[in-house]
Amino acid sequence: MSSINRRSKRPFRLALLTGGGDCPGLNAVIRAAARSAFALGWEVFGIEDGFEGLLTKRAHQLEPRDVRGILHLGGTILGTSNRVSPFRVERRGKNGAKMKDADRSSEVVRNFKSMGFDALIAIGGDGTLSIALRLSAKGIPVVGVPKTIDNDIEQTSVTFGFDTAVATATDAIDKLHPTAEAHGRVMVVELMGRNAGFIALNSGVAGGADVILIPEIPFNLDRVCEKIKEREKGRRGGYFSIVVVAEGARSMGGTVHLRSNDEGETPRLGGIGQWVAEEIGKRTGKETRSLVLGHLQRGGAPTTFDRLLGTRFGAAAVRAVAEGDFETMVALKPPSIERVPLKVAVGDGRTKRVPLDSDVVLSARGLGISFGD
Ligand code: F6P
């Protein structure tokens, strides 16, 4: 590991960027990175709205006062965007018709250099980090920080934002219990997570769900209904059940439910919860209700765990920059924060999925929770 070697007399200029969907803990990373950089005498710049800010040269210098009082705040003070990749910028003709996407990555690299930045800390999920990796190959010195409520990034045992999302989802499941019980209903709650079932699995187990449906285990609705009927046995009156469904779950032989497919590579998932509720209603005759927890899972103040992890990631990313250890990603390998090559974390486009032999899955099965398989 070499430390940064500079000839320039002006202070080192660190740029920070948050990309992709927001998630609780982003401001903790920004604060920790900025404060660590200030302590080294560096200047810190916040690029606005993710890669959009690098395309349009929108960035502002961050002063210590800008990162005061933000540790506990959700969202990101820099703004973010999950629609712009400099490698595929959407273009429209005069009549509004879609034209071939443009690769404007070289322009982004030029902008980065002309703005006088020396290094970039890119805080984002697999999409943002993959773009950062490609920009690094084009000459931008990058250190990545893994963020996502979905917890689907390889090489880190957990991402910040996940713990907060699970806490919010668990709280929602707790609140569904009394109303489900009072009416003897089946309540189906759809949770986020994209193609990974971590949020549904962890909050489902922590919230005492009866059925948990995750993308990693295609389900059979007959098995789900068997579980619901089994809970009725020997009880007078209707008995309630709580079903947690990850937005990316699908039935055996079925496909994922999409809310919209108009956003290119990242179609928006959604609708599986309502479908499962309707099918359970038809097949069991039970009264069912469904809800989608949606973006509430991305909101609110980060939990203590996420504030601490975000702070550790932000500070560790600055240490990596200071040592000139670029094209890396900081990662939690308990109990330490380590650096892994960005290429290893996101290079092959693979995301992390729930291991079917994980102790949470085995414990859930042991407790009689149904995965519908
Ligand atoms: O990746 C985070 C996430 O919240 C996913 O869980 C979800 O599928 C997606 O983003 C929603 O994206 P958007 O905010 O664009 O609707």
Side-chain angles (χ1 to χ4, degrees), residues 82 148-150 192-194 247 263 268 295 298:
N82 59 0
T148 168
I149 62 164
D150 305 336
M192 281 185 167
R194 230 183 268 275
E247 62 180 1
E263 286 168 50
R268 294 180 61 218
H295 291 78
R298 296 226 303 251

Side-chain angles (χ1 to χ4, degrees), residues 20-23 82-83 125-126 147-152 191-196 199 247-248 259 263 266-270 294-295 297-298:
D22 69 313
C23 107
N82 59 0
R83 303 192 62 159
D126 58 315
K147 100 37 279 202
T148 168
I149 62 164
D150 305 336
N151 193 33
D152 61 353
L191 300 178
M192 281 185 167
R194 230 183 268 275
N195 299 314
I199 298 177
E247 62 180 1
R259 219 171 265 293
E263 286 168 50
T266 50
R268 294 180 61 218
L269 295 164
H295 291 78
Q297 291 157 98
R298 296 226 303 251

